[in-house]
Amino acid sequence: MYRGYSRSPIAVLIFSLITCGIYHLYWIYKVSQETQEYTRRTTVSPGAELLLCIFTCGIYYIYWNYKYGKVIAECQSIAGLFPEDNSILYLILSIVGLGIVNALIMQSSLNRVWEQA
């Protein structure tokens, strides 16, 4: 079974801040790619999702956080973990401008999935 890359949530935060958000865009692409490969379900290509996040001035990014909250819960279920559906939390944090906090929580959840895979 496919296993994604474990990243330190603190490193995601630091690299995102140092690069003024460029690493965060790369992280969005990689999370989209890794989770789609793990679930064997492709809805929108990772590149298209990244472009939608950029060209909609962040509106799609708010939806992306909600959507991938559900996808990560599905990944946890596939890995045999208790699925934590934090999609509403991600949605609220995105709306109030704390999307980077979502990245930390999401990466931590994904790391647990990748350890089980």
Side-chain angles (χ1 to χ4, degrees):
M1 179 165 273
Y2 179 81
R3 181 174 182 235
Y5 184 73
S6 291
R7 297 170 185 83
S8 166
I10 299 302
V12 170
L13 173 66
I14 291 170
F15 289 144
S16 295
L17 293 174
I18 289 173
T19 62
C20 298
I22 294 171
Y23 181 81
H24 189 70
L25 295 174
Y26 168 78
W27 180 84
I28 290 170
Y29 176 84
K30 291 306 287 181
V31 166
S32 298
Q33 180 186 39
E34 291 172 353
T35 54
Q36 286 182 18
E37 287 183 32
Y38 186 73
T39 59
R40 298 176 189 218
R41 241 185 42 198
T42 303
T43 53
V44 179
S45 75
E49 289 199 300
L50 178 60
L51 290 175
L52 284 168
C53 288
I54 294 169
F55 291 130
T56 61
C57 299
I59 293 171
Y60 186 82
Y61 176 68
I62 292 170
Y63 169 71
W64 183 89
N65 278 288
Y66 175 80
K67 175 182 173 182
Y68 276 85
K70 300 281 186 191
V71 172
I72 290 171
E74 181 182 344
C75 290
Q76 291 171 333
S77 180
I78 292 170
L81 299 170
F82 180 76
E84 300 171 353
D85 187 355
N86 292 325
S87 55
I88 299 297
L89 172 66
Y90 299 148
L91 179 66
I92 292 168
L93 288 173
S94 294
I95 290 171
V96 298
L98 294 173
I100 192 68
V101 175
N102 290 343
L104 304 177
I105 301 168
M106 287 174 156
Q107 188 61 58
S108 178
S109 297
L110 284 172
N111 287 346
R112 286 192 299 273
V113 170
W114 305 145
E115 289 170 3
Q116 293 294 319

